[in-house]
Amino acid sequence: WGAQTLRQLLGPEAFRRAPVRPGHTWALPPGTVEDAPRFGWRGLMLDVARHFMPKDDVLRQLDLMAAHKLNVLHFHLTDDQGWRIEILRHPRLTEVGAWRARSKHGHRFSELWDDTPHGGYYTQDDIREIVAYAAERHITVVPEIDVPGHSQAAIAAYPELGNTDVVDTAALTVWDDWGINPNVLAPTDRTLRFYEGVLEEVLALFPSPFVHIGGDECPKDQWRASPAAQARIAELGVDGEDGLQSWFIRHFDGWLAERGRRLIGWDEILEGGLAPGAAVSSWRGYRGGVAAAEAGHDVVMCPEQQVYLDHRQAPGDDEPIPIGYVRTLEDVYRFEPVPPSLSPEAAAHVIGTQANVWTEVMQNRSRVDYQVYPRLAAFAEVAWSELPPSRERVFADFERRMESHYARLDALGVGYRPPAGPRPWQRRPGVGGRPIEGTPPVV
Ligand code: ACM
């Protein structure tokens, strides 16, 4: 990280991949820098399920993370709309689960579809390369395999994973829409064994102490309707469908702990009680994170209203991705991961923070660049630097420093959102040039 600071001091030329001025010498004023990160987990979550991000783009994002001194890539590898990691013992996960026939164009309330088939996945060699490239940059890659919801791509590949007594799961395809999906995993031993097999391969690829198991947004309708799921609830003696969800998560909590790893999941996993080593990604605001920290669990703060970078970054009609809340650069800069109400003991459980990049409406690298930068620079400063004693970060100082940073991002070739708003070609970079229509939802 010291080398990154040194590189920043050298000026934007130091961010190019080759010297551009022969004979140029770099001079630095003598000085001493004393610096240390505030948090051990300074993360970026990339959703490569909604839109596949080619390996080369992932490697580039790792370079950009390192330049911003971020050290955890939370890799969201599976979802209803795609399964992105090769699992040798279950080849249909990628043969079938990595591809979808079409995609919803725009946000989930849009009526438009893009009929271009979409997909892709990382081979195990790709994953090993990504993990090694990240490690060279002191970045840990935390894999996420989302269960028991967000699983339609897996069910499309292996219909027996779904609730076959209430849905014709053999007729399911990889989902082409966005939103919360009712097709969740069946609470059977067969499902558990299947995912243990998946996780065995995942553990062999990712040395990360933490493994993310998802746990978010699992509608309980199918379990309510399914005689098999109801019988399972009775057999296990758990408290209804919510108890079934906790049983699921607790199973993998114990399974991972036996293998020397720690489970992390979205804050819904708190609902049925957690084993002591498990950690929580607090996304539905701060509340889950506060409850988890007070109960002694480690927490990564990533509240959606503050650090979901798919959300629009300015009011008005110009934003190419007009979804969610307006979260300006300044809003992100003012984000504080540790709520002041936490006791010092509970605050010590906030091990870090991350910005989340959900890609429903980010079909390609330009759109990801636009949504993520420059807001990730503001986020990175929050994750690295101590909160001033006044508890107020001074945005005007940050803005002044951003003038130099935009020059670095230009040298790096990052298609960020300029302070004055999108460039003409950034306004409507949608597939096929079609505008995103409809009224933005009020979230
Ligand atoms: C989430 O945004 N569903 C974690």
Side-chain angles (χ1 to χ4, degrees):
W1 307 122
Q4 297 297 342
T5 298
L6 197 60
R7 186 156 74 132
Q8 288 176 8
L9 291 170
L10 292 173
E13 296 83 359
F15 288 78
R16 296 192 182 276
R17 293 192 187 189
V20 289
R21 291 188 219 149
H24 178 69
T25 54
W26 278 318
L28 281 179
T32 306
V33 177
E34 276 185 43
D35 197 9
R38 179 179 178 196
F39 294 109
W41 179 305
R42 303 181 302 282
L44 176 70
M45 190 219 72
L46 284 181
D47 165 15
V48 294
R50 271 51 177 270
H51 280 99
F52 178 61
M53 184 180 281
K55 178 189 73 183
D56 199 47
D57 288 347
V58 176
L59 301 179
R60 174 176 172 273
Q61 286 301 335
L62 287 166
D63 282 332
L64 293 172
M65 285 177 67
H68 291 84
K69 301 180 188 168
L70 299 179
N71 69 346
V72 177
L73 171 64
H74 169 170
F75 213 14
H76 184 78
L77 287 163
T78 71
D79 216 303
D80 301 303
Q81 298 86 355
W83 183 283
R84 305 285 176 229
I85 175 172
E86 178 184 41
I87 300 296
L88 299 173
R89 73 190 74 181
H90 302 307
R92 285 174 60 83
L93 285 172
T94 44
E95 285 167 11
V96 173
W99 310 96
R100 62 176 185 257
R102 61 174 195 169
S103 307
K104 173 62 73 69
H105 184 74
H107 53 64
R108 65 195 158 106
F109 302 107
S110 142
E111 296 296 326
L112 301 172
W113 265 265
D114 176 350
D115 290 325
T116 317
H118 178 82
Y121 66 93
Y122 309 106
T123 65
Q124 295 206 349
D125 278 342
D126 291 339
I127 295 284
R128 279 187 279 267
E129 182 183 356
I130 288 167
V131 168
Y133 194 85
E136 277 174 9
R137 286 152 186 77
H138 308 281
I139 296 171
T140 302
V141 186
V142 176
E144 180 182 350
I145 304 294
D146 205 338
V147 298
H150 288 282
S151 299
Q152 184 164 319
I155 298 169
Y158 292 96
E160 64 272 24
L161 294 174
N163 295 288
T164 51
D165 57 346
V166 287
V167 197
D168 177 12
T169 55
L172 289 176
T173 56
V174 176
W175 205 26
D176 57 12
D177 206 345
W178 316 130
I180 300 179
N181 185 302
N183 294 301
V184 304
L185 297 176
T188 61
D189 288 339
R190 181 155 66 172
T191 306
L192 297 185
R193 299 293 93 74
F194 183 96
Y195 274 87
E196 287 168 3
V198 168
L199 288 171
E200 272 174 27
E201 295 190 27
V202 166
L203 295 195
L205 292 165
F206 295 90
S208 162
F210 281 102
V211 174
H212 206 292
I213 207 78
D216 58 324
E217 298 178 325
C218 177
K220 307 297 186 299
D221 309 84
Q222 290 185 357
W223 292 349
R224 263 191 288 277
S226 155
Q230 291 300 314
R232 200 76 218 250
I233 288 171
E235 178 198 331
L236 295 168
V238 297
D239 188 11
E241 295 78 25
D242 289 339
L244 209 47
Q245 152 119 1
S246 332
W247 164 79
F248 221 101
I249 298 299
R250 277 175 164 273
H251 174 80
F252 288 109
D253 194 0
W255 190 91
L256 287 168
E258 281 164 21
R259 285 154 185 81
R261 307 292 184 106
R262 289 178 65 188
L263 177 143
I264 184 165
W266 300 110
D267 56 67
E268 286 94 329
I269 69 168
L270 267 175
E271 282 157 16
L274 270 187
V280 167
S281 309
S282 188
W283 75 276
R284 295 178 301 175
Y286 289 95
R287 212 154 29 125
V290 167
E294 285 175 347
H297 294 288
D298 286 345
V299 171
V300 175
M301 282 291 187
C302 48
E304 64 170 337
Q305 295 197 28
Q306 280 73 23
V307 285
Y308 269 32
L309 299 185
D310 49 334
H311 289 193
R312 59 172 68 202
Q313 41 199 328
D317 294 330
D318 270 357
E319 289 305 299
I321 303 182
I323 67 162
Y325 310 92
V326 175
R327 289 294 108 182
T328 63
L329 182 64
E330 180 166 358
D331 293 330
V332 174
Y333 190 67
R334 293 191 187 284
F335 163 58
E336 168 48 33
V338 183
S341 63
L342 279 186
S343 68
E345 297 76 49
H349 282 293
V350 180
I351 58 171
T353 181
Q354 69 183 34
N356 292 345
V357 180
W358 300 103
T359 58
E360 286 92 336
V361 286
M362 296 179 216
Q363 299 92 338
N364 55 45
R365 170 174 137 170
S366 326
R367 295 196 118 190
V368 173
D369 271 13
Y370 180 89
Q371 287 302 109
V372 175
Y373 302 95
R375 290 187 294 183
L376 197 69
F379 172 78
E381 189 161 308
V382 169
W384 180 280
S385 63
E386 292 295 334
L387 189 61
S390 64
R391 299 192 63 84
E392 280 289 314
R393 295 187 187 275
V394 181
F395 182 65
D397 285 353
F398 174 76
E399 259 187 319
R400 185 176 44 72
R401 282 179 281 114
M402 275 307 290
E403 284 169 27
S404 324
H405 197 60
Y406 283 120
R408 296 182 198 118
L409 294 178
D410 282 329
L412 286 161
V414 176
Y416 57 85
R417 180 189 189 278
R423 298 181 170 98
W425 59 88
Q426 290 175 318
R427 282 204 185 127
R428 297 270 186 236
V431 175
R434 281 178 294 177
I436 294 171
E437 287 168 1
T439 311
V442 177
V443 184

